[in-house]
Amino acid sequence: MGQTAHVSADVWTSVVTVVSALSLAAWLWLLLARGFFWRTDVRLPAREEPDVWPAVCVVVPARDEAAVLPASLPSLLAQDYPGRAEVFLIDDGSTDGTGELACELARRHEGLPLTVASPGEPPAGWTGKLWAVRHGIGLARAREPEYLLLTDADIAHAPDSLRALVSAAGAGGFDVVSQMARLRVESLWERLVVPAFVYFFAQLYPFRWIGGGRAGSAGKKGTRTAAAAGGCVLLRTKAAERARIPDAIRHAVIDDVALARAVKGAGGRVWLGLADWVDSVRPYPRLHDLWRMVSRSAYAQLRHNPLVLAGTVAGLALVYLVPPGAVLFGLAAGQGTVALLGGAAWLVMAGSYLPMLGYYGQPWWAAPLLPFTAFLYLLMTVDSAVQHYRGRGAAWKGRTYARPDAVPEEG
């Protein structure tokens, strides 16, 4: 009996050692071979102002956004743009006076002309946001703009934001220039969860592979990686027509990534990087708020595939949970090799997280907490799948989408 127990312990220790080594190997690969996703130096490409500034129409889909509009809409109206520009706010069935407030803000703040319109309820097969975007693009088409700026109602722009986006697009020959807005990090949960959200996104879609780099290089040649950040997307109108935006992605819950894929699939060039002066003003004071933000679309990201979900859970566990677990097991069982492997993986993980923490102005000592945050994201992803199979599916502003082709339901 004692010999059997000893053999079992040896087998268990061997398994833990192998798994710990795999976790360390995974981190070394992520660090060196995943497009240096952890770096935060992919910023807006070098600006080269054109001789003639092209016309731009700004499309803002808005549903029940009265709480954030006073902090965001005036920044759009106040854009210092030398060319012709106009803002279209599409009130998507708001019940909080979003449209009326937008008109009042336009009367109070001088600047770009504002048109407020409503598209009515979306038909089957359309998400509410993309139906609003379609209506806005339709109105903008009469102005014959060269570019469309698609921006969310909670995004505040620096006065030269539009100028910088257009300059970068023209200089780099990009059909999409997108900046990931700096999300708010004020509450305890925002500080813990938000930097990791952007870090995980960059891990999934390395900016350099999309078309990043310090000087706006084309990115990794031959890569099919494409993504955008929905809060700030400058889109060339001709590229939108070639890619049939938004009709081609009308059912997409993760519409920003779908837009970038459609444009890149139609031969367009896409750039995505971190923003310096584009900020989200939407608060997420509680864990519940952040949980809803992530879980509403997490399973859609996995294409509603249970096998992909299982692989994702296993991958998250191997990469983020095994290192601290190996350290604890190694110390408790007196297995120095296991503890050393786990500690090395944990150290690489924390080190790769430091640049993102710095970008968000967070202290270095938050880096070792990344496994806990990753565990929260694992639970959010599983909850997203549970909600999907319960028929609730993804959600956006009170509408739920149980299937990609589902008719929106009020909720």
CSV table of all heavy atoms in Angstrom, one decimal, residues 173-176 236 238-239 242-243 259-270:
chain,number,residue,atom,x,y,z
A,173,GLY,N,-1.6,55.2,-46.3
A,173,GLY,CA,-2.4,54.5,-47.3
A,173,GLY,C,-3.4,53.4,-46.6
A,173,GLY,O,-3.7,52.4,-47.2
A,174,PHE,N,-3.8,53.7,-45.4
A,174,PHE,CA,-4.7,52.8,-44.7
A,174,PHE,C,-6.2,53.0,-45.0
A,174,PHE,O,-6.6,54.2,-45.2
A,174,PHE,CB,-4.5,52.9,-43.2
A,174,PHE,CG,-3.1,52.4,-42.7
A,174,PHE,CD1,-2.2,53.4,-42.3
A,174,PHE,CD2,-2.8,51.1,-42.8
A,174,PHE,CE1,-0.9,53.0,-41.9
A,174,PHE,CE2,-1.5,50.7,-42.3
A,174,PHE,CZ,-0.6,51.6,-41.9
A,175,ASP,N,-6.9,51.9,-45.1
A,175,ASP,CA,-8.4,52.0,-45.3
A,175,ASP,C,-9.1,52.1,-44.0
A,175,ASP,O,-10.2,52.6,-43.9
A,175,ASP,CB,-8.9,50.9,-46.2
A,175,ASP,CG,-8.3,50.9,-47.5
A,175,ASP,OD1,-8.6,51.8,-48.3
A,175,ASP,OD2,-7.4,50.0,-47.8
A,176,VAL,N,-8.5,51.6,-43.0
A,176,VAL,CA,-9.0,51.6,-41.6
A,176,VAL,C,-7.9,52.1,-40.7
A,176,VAL,O,-6.8,51.5,-40.7
A,176,VAL,CB,-9.6,50.3,-41.1
A,176,VAL,CG1,-9.9,50.3,-39.6
A,176,VAL,CG2,-10.8,49.9,-41.9
A,236,ARG,N,-12.2,54.4,-44.7
A,236,ARG,CA,-12.3,55.1,-46.0
A,236,ARG,C,-13.6,54.6,-46.7
A,236,ARG,O,-14.0,53.5,-46.7
A,236,ARG,CB,-11.1,54.6,-46.9
A,236,ARG,CG,-10.9,55.5,-48.1
A,236,ARG,CD,-9.7,55.0,-48.9
A,236,ARG,NE,-8.5,55.0,-48.1
A,236,ARG,CZ,-7.6,56.1,-48.1
A,236,ARG,NH1,-7.9,57.1,-48.8
A,236,ARG,NH2,-6.5,56.0,-47.4
A,238,LYS,N,-14.7,54.4,-49.8
A,238,LYS,CA,-14.6,53.4,-50.9
A,238,LYS,C,-14.3,52.0,-50.4
A,238,LYS,O,-14.8,51.0,-50.9
A,238,LYS,CB,-13.5,53.9,-51.9
A,238,LYS,CG,-13.9,55.1,-52.7
A,238,LYS,CD,-12.8,55.5,-53.7
A,238,LYS,CE,-13.2,56.7,-54.5
A,238,LYS,NZ,-12.2,57.0,-55.5
A,239,ALA,N,-13.5,51.9,-49.3
A,239,ALA,CA,-13.3,50.6,-48.7
A,239,ALA,C,-14.5,50.0,-48.1
A,239,ALA,O,-14.8,48.8,-48.2
A,239,ALA,CB,-12.1,50.7,-47.7
A,242,ARG,N,-16.5,48.6,-50.9
A,242,ARG,CA,-16.0,47.4,-51.4
A,242,ARG,C,-16.3,46.2,-50.5
A,242,ARG,O,-16.6,45.1,-50.9
A,242,ARG,CB,-14.5,47.5,-51.6
A,242,ARG,CG,-14.0,48.3,-52.8
A,242,ARG,CD,-12.6,48.1,-53.1
A,242,ARG,NE,-11.7,48.3,-52.0
A,242,ARG,CZ,-11.1,49.4,-51.7
A,242,ARG,NH1,-11.3,50.5,-52.5
A,242,ARG,NH2,-10.3,49.6,-50.7
A,243,ALA,N,-16.2,46.5,-49.2
A,243,ALA,CA,-16.4,45.4,-48.2
A,243,ALA,C,-17.9,45.3,-47.8
A,243,ALA,O,-18.2,44.4,-46.9
A,243,ALA,CB,-15.6,45.7,-47.0
A,259,LEU,N,-15.7,44.1,-38.8
A,259,LEU,CA,-15.5,45.2,-39.8
A,259,LEU,C,-14.0,45.1,-40.4
A,259,LEU,O,-13.8,45.2,-41.6
A,259,LEU,CB,-15.7,46.6,-39.2
A,259,LEU,CG,-15.6,47.8,-40.0
A,259,LEU,CD1,-16.5,48.9,-39.6
A,259,LEU,CD2,-14.1,48.3,-40.0
A,260,ALA,N,-13.1,45.0,-39.5
A,260,ALA,CA,-11.7,44.9,-39.9
A,260,ALA,C,-11.4,43.7,-40.8
A,260,ALA,O,-10.7,43.8,-41.8
A,260,ALA,CB,-10.7,44.9,-38.7
A,261,ARG,N,-12.0,42.6,-40.5
A,261,ARG,CA,-11.8,41.4,-41.3
A,261,ARG,C,-12.5,41.6,-42.7
A,261,ARG,O,-11.9,41.2,-43.7
A,261,ARG,CB,-12.5,40.2,-40.6
A,261,ARG,CG,-11.6,39.7,-39.4
A,261,ARG,CD,-12.4,38.6,-38.7
A,261,ARG,NE,-11.6,38.0,-37.6
A,261,ARG,CZ,-12.1,37.2,-36.6
A,261,ARG,NH1,-13.4,36.9,-36.6
A,261,ARG,NH2,-11.3,36.7,-35.7
A,262,ALA,N,-13.6,42.2,-42.7
A,262,ALA,CA,-14.3,42.4,-44.0
A,262,ALA,C,-13.5,43.3,-44.9
A,262,ALA,O,-13.3,43.1,-46.1
A,262,ALA,CB,-15.7,43.0,-43.8
A,263,VAL,N,-12.9,44.4,-44.3
A,263,VAL,CA,-12.2,45.4,-45.1
A,263,VAL,C,-10.9,44.7,-45.6
A,263,VAL,O,-10.5,44.8,-46.7
A,263,VAL,CB,-11.8,46.6,-44.3
A,263,VAL,CG1,-10.8,47.5,-45.0
A,263,VAL,CG2,-13.1,47.4,-44.0
A,264,LYS,N,-10.2,44.0,-44.7
A,264,LYS,CA,-8.9,43.3,-45.1
A,264,LYS,C,-9.2,42.2,-46.1
A,264,LYS,O,-8.4,42.0,-47.0
A,264,LYS,CB,-8.2,42.8,-43.8
A,264,LYS,CG,-6.8,42.5,-44.0
A,264,LYS,CD,-6.1,42.3,-42.7
A,264,LYS,CE,-4.5,42.4,-42.8
A,264,LYS,NZ,-3.8,42.2,-41.5
A,265,GLY,N,-10.3,41.5,-45.9
A,265,GLY,CA,-10.7,40.5,-46.9
A,265,GLY,C,-11.0,41.0,-48.3
A,265,GLY,O,-10.8,40.3,-49.3
A,266,ALA,N,-11.4,42.3,-48.3
A,266,ALA,CA,-11.6,42.9,-49.6
A,266,ALA,C,-10.4,43.7,-50.2
A,266,ALA,O,-10.5,44.4,-51.1
A,266,ALA,CB,-12.8,43.9,-49.5
A,267,GLY,N,-9.3,43.4,-49.6
A,267,GLY,CA,-8.0,44.0,-50.1
A,267,GLY,C,-7.6,45.3,-49.4
A,267,GLY,O,-6.6,45.9,-49.9
A,268,GLY,N,-8.3,45.7,-48.4
A,268,GLY,CA,-7.9,46.9,-47.7
A,268,GLY,C,-6.8,46.7,-46.7
A,268,GLY,O,-6.5,45.6,-46.3
A,269,ARG,N,-6.3,47.9,-46.3
A,269,ARG,CA,-5.2,47.9,-45.3
A,269,ARG,C,-5.7,48.4,-44.0
A,269,ARG,O,-6.5,49.4,-44.0
A,269,ARG,CB,-4.0,48.8,-45.8
A,269,ARG,CG,-3.3,48.2,-47.0
A,269,ARG,CD,-2.1,49.0,-47.4
A,269,ARG,NE,-1.1,48.9,-46.3
A,269,ARG,CZ,-0.2,49.8,-46.0
A,269,ARG,NH1,-0.3,51.0,-46.5
A,269,ARG,NH2,0.7,49.6,-45.0
A,270,VAL,N,-5.4,47.8,-42.9
A,270,VAL,CA,-5.9,48.1,-41.6
A,270,VAL,C,-4.8,48.4,-40.6
A,270,VAL,O,-3.8,47.7,-40.6
A,270,VAL,CB,-6.8,46.9,-41.1
A,270,VAL,CG1,-7.3,47.2,-39.7
A,270,VAL,CG2,-7.9,46.6,-42.0
